[in-house]
Amino acid sequence: MANSGQKVVLITGCSSGIGLRIAVTLAKDEKKRYHVIATMRDLKKKDKLVEAAGDAYGKTLMLLPLDVCSDESVRQCINNVKDRHIDILINNAGVGLLGPVESISIEEMKKVFETNFFGVVRMIKEVMPDMKKRRSGHIVVMSSVMGLQGVVFNDVYTASKFAMEGFCESMAVQLMKFNIRLSMIEPGPVHTEFETKMMEDVAKMEYPGVDADTVRYFKDVYLPSSIDIFEAMGQTPEDIAQCTKKVIESNSPRFRNLTNSLYTPIVALKYADETGGLSVNTFYNLLFNFGPLMHITMSILKCLTCSCLRRRTISPN
């Protein structure tokens, strides 16, 4: 139970990665300003979180089961919070999907949207009425740079993030009237166990029904380039947690928060040309015409990206 003066923070998807680090970072706040409700679909996977939380577990951090794909689970979770009072909702739960679109079934695509889009919508719908009554609250959504700029072979994942960005951009206007803030956190590549395993798995997979050229472009062109980008520009879950903490502690939190300033020029390409040709052609040339040059550039960037620059990239200001 939260102490007087503590803000109640509910976070989805806390079994590992970004969600785990956000939960631990807030629970270990030196001023003890937060009572963290960390949620996950299967509480059997709580061990990493409990270990990382240390003494904070059972004091400033508690656990609740939550499946964002289930209306009933979402309702039960919020009902288990005292007075249904949540000051800050952090929507972090998400799934990825990578590969040639011809090889992905419609059912697989629906599962991505069920978590990444409808899961967020369910959570917002459940907490929003109480926040409106109190005329207070902050909703944070873990989006992605791919919610702003499409990335080849990430078609479905990107689409789910674009949908979420559009939904939240629309909601933010209404919520301001009730003194409720809505903030998007938009990381680029982040080093997590989930990302590493996914990259390893897709490299080994066969893609029946997909033409040989597309499979070759995916495995021999896209994946090596993606690994280069991860190594040169990737952040850690701790980086994203620190950025999220800064956003919720801001007196005037921004709606969009790119966590990695190295991506700002890439996103800017899209808005510099209303026809869309500049960004599409740039990414095409980077991937298919200037692959070796990009590899060298990423290698140099990796060497130049010192700890000082990485500290700058996690500031939302």
Side-chain angles (χ1 to χ4, degrees):
M1 185 180 299
N3 295 327
S4 177
Q6 281 186 321
K7 289 187 176 181
V8 178
V9 185
L10 189 141
I11 310 168
T12 68
C14 293
S15 61
S16 63
I18 294 172
L20 184 152
R21 291 316 314 173
I22 294 174
V24 171
T25 297
L26 297 183
K28 289 187 174 182
D29 176 63
E30 290 182 358
K31 298 179 182 177
K32 292 183 169 41
R33 290 171 289 183
Y34 307 106
H35 175 71
V36 177
I37 302 170
T39 71
M40 60 188 72
R41 187 168 49 189
D42 184 1
L43 289 184
K44 292 177 182 176
K45 297 181 178 180
K46 69 180 181 180
D47 292 350
K48 286 184 181 178
L49 174 60
V50 171
E51 181 180 355
D55 293 341
Y57 179 61
K59 296 176 182 176
T60 54
L61 183 144
M62 64 172 288
L63 293 174
L64 283 178
L66 171 64
D67 179 1
V68 299
C69 296
S70 164
D71 292 349
E72 183 58 28
S73 177
V74 169
R75 191 176 304 112
Q76 285 184 0
C77 179
I78 303 304
N79 285 341
N80 283 330
V81 177
K82 187 177 185 299
D83 299 326
R84 292 175 56 92
H85 184 113
I86 294 169
D87 295 295
I88 302 168
L89 168 66
I90 301 179
N91 293 283
N92 170 74
V95 295
L97 189 61
L98 179 64
V101 73
E102 303 98 312
S103 66
I104 302 171
S105 70
I106 295 296
E107 286 305 311
E108 288 177 287
M109 296 181 190
K110 286 181 178 178
K111 287 179 181 178
V112 171
F113 271 80
E114 192 62 55
T115 299
N116 293 1
F117 177 68
F118 291 110
V120 173
V121 173
R122 281 189 188 90
M123 294 304 301
I124 292 177
K125 284 185 66 177
E126 195 65 29
V127 305
M128 185 171 60
D130 295 294
M131 286 185 172
K132 281 184 171 181
K133 289 176 184 176
R134 299 194 309 269
R135 292 188 175 266
S136 174
H138 194 173
I139 296 171
V140 178
V141 177
M142 192 59 59
S143 182
S144 168
V145 105
M146 291 191 207
L148 302 172
Q149 172 65 57
V151 176
V152 63
F153 292 119
N154 288 268
D155 321 83
V156 179
Y157 176 79
T158 294
S160 71
K161 294 296 184 180
F162 263 71
M164 188 169 65
E165 288 271 348
F167 174 82
C168 291
E169 188 172 310
S170 303
M171 286 298 306
V173 177
Q174 177 201 152
L175 292 176
M176 282 183 70
K177 191 65 177 174
F178 294 87
N179 196 37
I180 301 169
R181 298 294 183 183
L182 199 159
S183 299
M184 312 297 288
I185 309 294
E186 294 152 332
V190 180
H191 297 289
T192 65
E193 293 177 10
F194 167 77
E195 291 286 354
T196 302
K197 186 176 187 306
M198 182 171 69
M199 296 286 275
E200 291 174 350
D201 289 345
V202 296
K204 299 173 186 175
M205 287 173 62
E206 300 295 328
Y207 295 94
V210 181
D211 63 275
D213 283 343
T214 298
V215 173
R216 180 167 57 83
Y217 295 146
F218 175 60
K219 289 190 173 184
D220 299 340
V221 180
Y222 168 77
L223 285 180
S225 297
S226 182
I227 291 169
D228 283 344
I229 291 170
F230 260 83
E231 290 181 350
M233 303 173 72
Q235 293 179 287
T236 67
E238 179 64 28
D239 291 335
I240 311 307
Q242 291 298 330
C243 177
T244 304
K245 189 170 187 283
K246 288 181 180 181
V247 170
I248 67 175
E249 290 175 356
S250 170
N251 291 326
S252 183
R254 295 181 352 185
F255 173 65
R256 285 201 167 93
N257 299 273
L258 281 169
T259 69
N260 193 330
S261 61
L262 297 174
Y263 267 85
T264 303
I266 296 173
V267 174
L269 283 174
K270 181 173 183 175
Y271 299 98
D273 173 22
E274 64 181 18
T275 71
L278 180 61
S279 62
V280 171
N281 290 329
T282 298
F283 280 104
Y284 173 83
N285 285 318
L286 282 173
L287 188 62
F288 293 111
N289 292 335
F290 304 133
L293 177 61
M294 189 169 80
H295 175 74
I296 294 171
T297 303
M298 289 298 107
S299 298
I300 295 172
L301 184 61
K302 182 180 178 182
C303 294
L304 294 176
T305 309
C306 61
S307 59
C308 175
L309 180 57
R310 287 194 183 278
R311 281 197 296 273
R312 281 184 54 216
T313 65
I314 65 170
S315 172
N317 300 316

